[in-house]
Amino acid sequence: MRDEQLLRYSRQIMLPAFDIEGQTRLLQSTVLVVGMGGLGSPVAMYLAAAGVGHLILVDDDVVEISNLQRQLVHREHTVGDSKVESARQTLLALNSDVKITTVNQRVDKALLERMISQQVDLVVDACDNFSTRFAANAVCVKYKVPLVSGAAIRLEGQVAVFDSRQPDSPCYQCLYQGGDDEQMSCSRNGVLAPVVGVIGSMQALEAIKILSGMGRSLCGRLLLFDAMTSTWRELRLPRDPACAVCGAEAS
């Protein structure tokens, strides 16, 4: 590790549970972030600032003026640009040492297969639709790659970790078997900006913990956030033995 890196990351290196070993693991890690919207913004910014060595950003959308209320990785001058390119500029301005790979296309299972099978250490689900979430979950289970999942809408949010390296870990499909993308969209229901910031920050925290080997992850637990009352609830999330993706009869 270079002297400049020791100085840049000194405040987290001095944490006994993290230390130089944790920082070294981050620097050697590759993280796939699916979605550069309200959740992907704080996730990518915190991971870049913390020193994750390689970030792969995937999104096929362009920056719109309505995004700027909550998608803090984008700027007024990037309205009309692809979200991944807009995010790349911000992240490199924050930490020029981070390698950024951008994929400006719609996410499908074939694309996820290609990326996750090529030595991705962790996937962050920051997307806004169930089909992509289910696809990312299935591929992560197949390749035993940890998945950090988050969702936020209106004044509510949730975050969970699914780590198929752990024998008792559930997967995303143990929690949800289906969903209505239109009914759960921010464009239809609205969302308060700090809510996505809270959930995205928690996703980044869980990713850093898993990559560095620090602490206990949320694997097997679901955190629910109510912004109206500023309260959290924790629910135990058991594995579904009949799950079509990770259950005993899964193909």
Side-chain angles (χ1 to χ4, degrees), residues 8-9 12 18 23 26-27 44-52 94-95 98 208:
R8 175 186 284 265
Y9 306 120
Q12 56 198 39
F18 192 81
Q23 188 62 57
L26 283 193
L27 290 167
M45 293 174 75
Y46 271 118
L47 294 185
V52 170
L94 186 63
N95 188 350
V98 177
I208 290 170

PDB file of all heavy atoms in Angstrom, residues 8-9 12 18 23 26-27 44-52 94-95 98 208:
ATOM      1  N   ARG A   8      -4.848   8.558   2.989  1.00  0.00           N
ATOM      2  CA  ARG A   8      -6.237   8.726   2.539  1.00  0.00           C
ATOM      3  C   ARG A   8      -7.192   7.886   3.390  1.00  0.00           C
ATOM      4  O   ARG A   8      -8.269   8.347   3.777  1.00  0.00           O
ATOM      5  CB  ARG A   8      -6.364   8.326   1.067  1.00  0.00           C
ATOM      6  CG  ARG A   8      -7.809   8.358   0.547  1.00  0.00           C
ATOM      7  CD  ARG A   8      -7.916   7.828  -0.866  1.00  0.00           C
ATOM      8  NE  ARG A   8      -7.448   8.772  -1.845  1.00  0.00           N
ATOM      9  CZ  ARG A   8      -8.226   9.631  -2.515  1.00  0.00           C
ATOM     10  NH1 ARG A   8      -9.529   9.656  -2.279  1.00  0.00           N
ATOM     11  NH2 ARG A   8      -7.712  10.447  -3.401  1.00  0.00           N
ATOM     12  N   TYR A   9      -6.830   6.640   3.655  1.00  0.00           N
ATOM     13  CA  TYR A   9      -7.737   5.720   4.341  1.00  0.00           C
ATOM     14  C   TYR A   9      -7.409   5.567   5.826  1.00  0.00           C
ATOM     15  O   TYR A   9      -7.870   4.628   6.472  1.00  0.00           O
ATOM     16  CB  TYR A   9      -7.685   4.350   3.654  1.00  0.00           C
ATOM     17  CG  TYR A   9      -7.948   4.415   2.172  1.00  0.00           C
ATOM     18  CD1 TYR A   9      -6.987   3.982   1.254  1.00  0.00           C
ATOM     19  CD2 TYR A   9      -9.143   4.929   1.677  1.00  0.00           C
ATOM     20  CE1 TYR A   9      -7.213   4.042  -0.114  1.00  0.00           C
ATOM     21  CE2 TYR A   9      -9.376   5.004   0.316  1.00  0.00           C
ATOM     22  CZ  TYR A   9      -8.405   4.568  -0.574  1.00  0.00           C
ATOM     23  OH  TYR A   9      -8.641   4.643  -1.938  1.00  0.00           O
ATOM     24  N   GLN A  12     -10.126   4.876   8.663  1.00  0.00           N
ATOM     25  CA  GLN A  12     -10.731   3.550   8.801  1.00  0.00           C
ATOM     26  C   GLN A  12      -9.678   2.493   9.107  1.00  0.00           C
ATOM     27  O   GLN A  12      -9.961   1.501   9.779  1.00  0.00           O
ATOM     28  CB  GLN A  12     -11.543   3.169   7.563  1.00  0.00           C
ATOM     29  CG  GLN A  12     -10.834   3.201   6.239  1.00  0.00           C
ATOM     30  CD  GLN A  12     -11.810   3.250   5.056  1.00  0.00           C
ATOM     31  OE1 GLN A  12     -12.839   3.918   5.107  1.00  0.00           O
ATOM     32  NE2 GLN A  12     -11.482   2.542   3.986  1.00  0.00           N
ATOM     33  N   PHE A  18     -10.809  -3.296  11.524  1.00  0.00           N
ATOM     34  CA  PHE A  18     -10.602  -3.094  10.087  1.00  0.00           C
ATOM     35  C   PHE A  18      -9.130  -3.224   9.737  1.00  0.00           C
ATOM     36  O   PHE A  18      -8.709  -4.142   9.041  1.00  0.00           O
ATOM     37  CB  PHE A  18     -11.156  -1.719   9.692  1.00  0.00           C
ATOM     38  CG  PHE A  18     -11.258  -1.507   8.211  1.00  0.00           C
ATOM     39  CD1 PHE A  18     -12.325  -2.023   7.498  1.00  0.00           C
ATOM     40  CD2 PHE A  18     -10.299  -0.773   7.531  1.00  0.00           C
ATOM     41  CE1 PHE A  18     -12.435  -1.823   6.128  1.00  0.00           C
ATOM     42  CE2 PHE A  18     -10.390  -0.561   6.172  1.00  0.00           C
ATOM     43  CZ  PHE A  18     -11.462  -1.090   5.467  1.00  0.00           C
ATOM     44  N   GLN A  23      -8.313  -2.872   4.729  1.00  0.00           N
ATOM     45  CA  GLN A  23      -8.137  -1.943   3.615  1.00  0.00           C
ATOM     46  C   GLN A  23      -7.543  -2.637   2.398  1.00  0.00           C
ATOM     47  O   GLN A  23      -7.949  -2.370   1.264  1.00  0.00           O
ATOM     48  CB  GLN A  23      -7.236  -0.779   4.039  1.00  0.00           C
ATOM     49  CG  GLN A  23      -7.153   0.325   3.009  1.00  0.00           C
ATOM     50  CD  GLN A  23      -8.505   0.956   2.765  1.00  0.00           C
ATOM     51  OE1 GLN A  23      -9.152   1.451   3.681  1.00  0.00           O
ATOM     52  NE2 GLN A  23      -8.949   0.923   1.521  1.00  0.00           N
ATOM     53  N   LEU A  26     -10.232  -4.440   0.585  1.00  0.00           N
ATOM     54  CA  LEU A  26     -11.059  -3.528  -0.208  1.00  0.00           C
ATOM     55  C   LEU A  26     -10.369  -3.158  -1.513  1.00  0.00           C
ATOM     56  O   LEU A  26     -10.981  -3.171  -2.589  1.00  0.00           O
ATOM     57  CB  LEU A  26     -11.367  -2.248   0.573  1.00  0.00           C
ATOM     58  CG  LEU A  26     -12.430  -2.268   1.659  1.00  0.00           C
ATOM     59  CD1 LEU A  26     -12.771  -0.834   2.062  1.00  0.00           C
ATOM     60  CD2 LEU A  26     -13.675  -2.998   1.229  1.00  0.00           C
ATOM     61  N   LEU A  27      -9.111  -2.806  -1.428  1.00  0.00           N
ATOM     62  CA  LEU A  27      -8.363  -2.387  -2.613  1.00  0.00           C
ATOM     63  C   LEU A  27      -8.283  -3.494  -3.663  1.00  0.00           C
ATOM     64  O   LEU A  27      -8.159  -3.216  -4.853  1.00  0.00           O
ATOM     65  CB  LEU A  27      -6.955  -1.949  -2.210  1.00  0.00           C
ATOM     66  CG  LEU A  27      -6.863  -0.640  -1.411  1.00  0.00           C
ATOM     67  CD1 LEU A  27      -5.468  -0.480  -0.808  1.00  0.00           C
ATOM     68  CD2 LEU A  27      -7.195   0.562  -2.282  1.00  0.00           C
ATOM     69  N   ALA A  44     -22.242   3.729  -4.535  1.00  0.00           N
ATOM     70  CA  ALA A  44     -21.032   3.893  -5.340  1.00  0.00           C
ATOM     71  C   ALA A  44     -20.097   4.939  -4.756  1.00  0.00           C
ATOM     72  O   ALA A  44     -18.871   4.761  -4.748  1.00  0.00           O
ATOM     73  CB  ALA A  44     -21.414   4.260  -6.771  1.00  0.00           C
ATOM     74  N   MET A  45     -20.652   6.029  -4.243  1.00  0.00           N
ATOM     75  CA  MET A  45     -19.808   7.094  -3.693  1.00  0.00           C
ATOM     76  C   MET A  45     -19.076   6.633  -2.436  1.00  0.00           C
ATOM     77  O   MET A  45     -17.885   6.885  -2.265  1.00  0.00           O
ATOM     78  CB  MET A  45     -20.650   8.331  -3.428  1.00  0.00           C
ATOM     79  CG  MET A  45     -21.181   8.981  -4.704  1.00  0.00           C
ATOM     80  SD  MET A  45     -22.336  10.344  -4.431  1.00  0.00           S
ATOM     81  CE  MET A  45     -21.202  11.633  -3.921  1.00  0.00           C
ATOM     82  N   TYR A  46     -19.767   5.931  -1.556  1.00  0.00           N
ATOM     83  CA  TYR A  46     -19.107   5.452  -0.338  1.00  0.00           C
ATOM     84  C   TYR A  46     -18.090   4.350  -0.641  1.00  0.00           C
ATOM     85  O   TYR A  46     -17.018   4.302  -0.020  1.00  0.00           O
ATOM     86  CB  TYR A  46     -20.139   4.959   0.676  1.00  0.00           C
ATOM     87  CG  TYR A  46     -20.628   6.045   1.606  1.00  0.00           C
ATOM     88  CD1 TYR A  46     -21.956   6.421   1.627  1.00  0.00           C
ATOM     89  CD2 TYR A  46     -19.745   6.704   2.468  1.00  0.00           C
ATOM     90  CE1 TYR A  46     -22.411   7.429   2.471  1.00  0.00           C
ATOM     91  CE2 TYR A  46     -20.184   7.703   3.318  1.00  0.00           C
ATOM     92  CZ  TYR A  46     -21.517   8.066   3.317  1.00  0.00           C
ATOM     93  OH  TYR A  46     -21.956   9.060   4.156  1.00  0.00           O
ATOM     94  N   LEU A  47     -18.398   3.470  -1.582  1.00  0.00           N
ATOM     95  CA  LEU A  47     -17.445   2.406  -1.908  1.00  0.00           C
ATOM     96  C   LEU A  47     -16.201   2.982  -2.586  1.00  0.00           C
ATOM     97  O   LEU A  47     -15.081   2.541  -2.318  1.00  0.00           O
ATOM     98  CB  LEU A  47     -18.108   1.351  -2.803  1.00  0.00           C
ATOM     99  CG  LEU A  47     -19.240   0.542  -2.167  1.00  0.00           C
ATOM    100  CD1 LEU A  47     -19.719  -0.538  -3.118  1.00  0.00           C
ATOM    101  CD2 LEU A  47     -18.817  -0.069  -0.833  1.00  0.00           C
ATOM    102  N   ALA A  48     -16.403   3.961  -3.451  1.00  0.00           N
ATOM    103  CA  ALA A  48     -15.248   4.605  -4.088  1.00  0.00           C
ATOM    104  C   ALA A  48     -14.416   5.337  -3.052  1.00  0.00           C
ATOM    105  O   ALA A  48     -13.174   5.244  -3.044  1.00  0.00           O
ATOM    106  CB  ALA A  48     -15.724   5.570  -5.176  1.00  0.00           C
ATOM    107  N   ALA A  49     -15.065   6.086  -2.177  1.00  0.00           N
ATOM    108  CA  ALA A  49     -14.336   6.837  -1.155  1.00  0.00           C
ATOM    109  C   ALA A  49     -13.587   5.913  -0.196  1.00  0.00           C
ATOM    110  O   ALA A  49     -12.488   6.233   0.265  1.00  0.00           O
ATOM    111  CB  ALA A  49     -15.304   7.725  -0.378  1.00  0.00           C
ATOM    112  N   ALA A  50     -14.191   4.749   0.097  1.00  0.00           N
ATOM    113  CA  ALA A  50     -13.578   3.806   1.034  1.00  0.00           C
ATOM    114  C   ALA A  50     -12.410   3.047   0.427  1.00  0.00           C
ATOM    115  O   ALA A  50     -11.629   2.426   1.147  1.00  0.00           O
ATOM    116  CB  ALA A  50     -14.621   2.817   1.546  1.00  0.00           C
ATOM    117  N   GLY A  51     -12.302   3.048  -0.919  1.00  0.00           N
ATOM    118  CA  GLY A  51     -11.150   2.422  -1.550  1.00  0.00           C
ATOM    119  C   GLY A  51     -11.385   1.058  -2.147  1.00  0.00           C
ATOM    120  O   GLY A  51     -10.428   0.281  -2.303  1.00  0.00           O
ATOM    121  N   VAL A  52     -12.634   0.741  -2.519  1.00  0.00           N
ATOM    122  CA  VAL A  52     -12.856  -0.498  -3.282  1.00  0.00           C
ATOM    123  C   VAL A  52     -12.115  -0.365  -4.607  1.00  0.00           C
ATOM    124  O   VAL A  52     -12.253   0.633  -5.323  1.00  0.00           O
ATOM    125  CB  VAL A  52     -14.359  -0.740  -3.504  1.00  0.00           C
ATOM    126  CG1 VAL A  52     -14.576  -1.873  -4.491  1.00  0.00           C
ATOM    127  CG2 VAL A  52     -15.042  -1.059  -2.178  1.00  0.00           C
ATOM    128  N   LEU A  94     -13.861  11.985  -7.007  1.00  0.00           N
ATOM    129  CA  LEU A  94     -13.784  11.677  -5.584  1.00  0.00           C
ATOM    130  C   LEU A  94     -12.545  10.856  -5.251  1.00  0.00           C
ATOM    131  O   LEU A  94     -11.889  11.084  -4.226  1.00  0.00           O
ATOM    132  CB  LEU A  94     -15.049  10.912  -5.180  1.00  0.00           C
ATOM    133  CG  LEU A  94     -15.289  10.592  -3.718  1.00  0.00           C
ATOM    134  CD1 LEU A  94     -15.430  11.869  -2.912  1.00  0.00           C
ATOM    135  CD2 LEU A  94     -16.549   9.742  -3.577  1.00  0.00           C
ATOM    136  N   ASN A  95     -12.223   9.877  -6.107  1.00  0.00           N
ATOM    137  CA  ASN A  95     -11.064   9.014  -5.875  1.00  0.00           C
ATOM    138  C   ASN A  95     -10.547   8.499  -7.211  1.00  0.00           C
ATOM    139  O   ASN A  95     -11.098   7.552  -7.777  1.00  0.00           O
ATOM    140  CB  ASN A  95     -11.448   7.840  -4.963  1.00  0.00           C
ATOM    141  CG  ASN A  95     -10.251   7.018  -4.530  1.00  0.00           C
ATOM    142  OD1 ASN A  95      -9.140   7.186  -5.044  1.00  0.00           O
ATOM    143  ND2 ASN A  95     -10.462   6.121  -3.578  1.00  0.00           N
ATOM    144  N   VAL A  98      -9.616   4.598  -8.056  1.00  0.00           N
ATOM    145  CA  VAL A  98     -10.589   3.525  -8.254  1.00  0.00           C
ATOM    146  C   VAL A  98     -10.747   3.241  -9.750  1.00  0.00           C
ATOM    147  O   VAL A  98     -10.901   4.154 -10.557  1.00  0.00           O
ATOM    148  CB  VAL A  98     -11.949   3.894  -7.640  1.00  0.00           C
ATOM    149  CG1 VAL A  98     -12.972   2.800  -7.907  1.00  0.00           C
ATOM    150  CG2 VAL A  98     -11.812   4.129  -6.146  1.00  0.00           C
ATOM    151  N   ILE A 208     -18.921  -3.167   2.631  1.00  0.00           N
ATOM    152  CA  ILE A 208     -17.577  -2.976   3.185  1.00  0.00           C
ATOM    153  C   ILE A 208     -17.288  -4.008   4.266  1.00  0.00           C
ATOM    154  O   ILE A 208     -16.178  -4.564   4.337  1.00  0.00           O
ATOM    155  CB  ILE A 208     -17.422  -1.540   3.722  1.00  0.00           C
ATOM    156  CG1 ILE A 208     -17.385  -0.549   2.559  1.00  0.00           C
ATOM    157  CG2 ILE A 208     -16.161  -1.401   4.578  1.00  0.00           C
ATOM    158  CD1 ILE A 208     -17.473   0.907   2.979  1.00  0.00           C
TER     159      ILE A 208
END
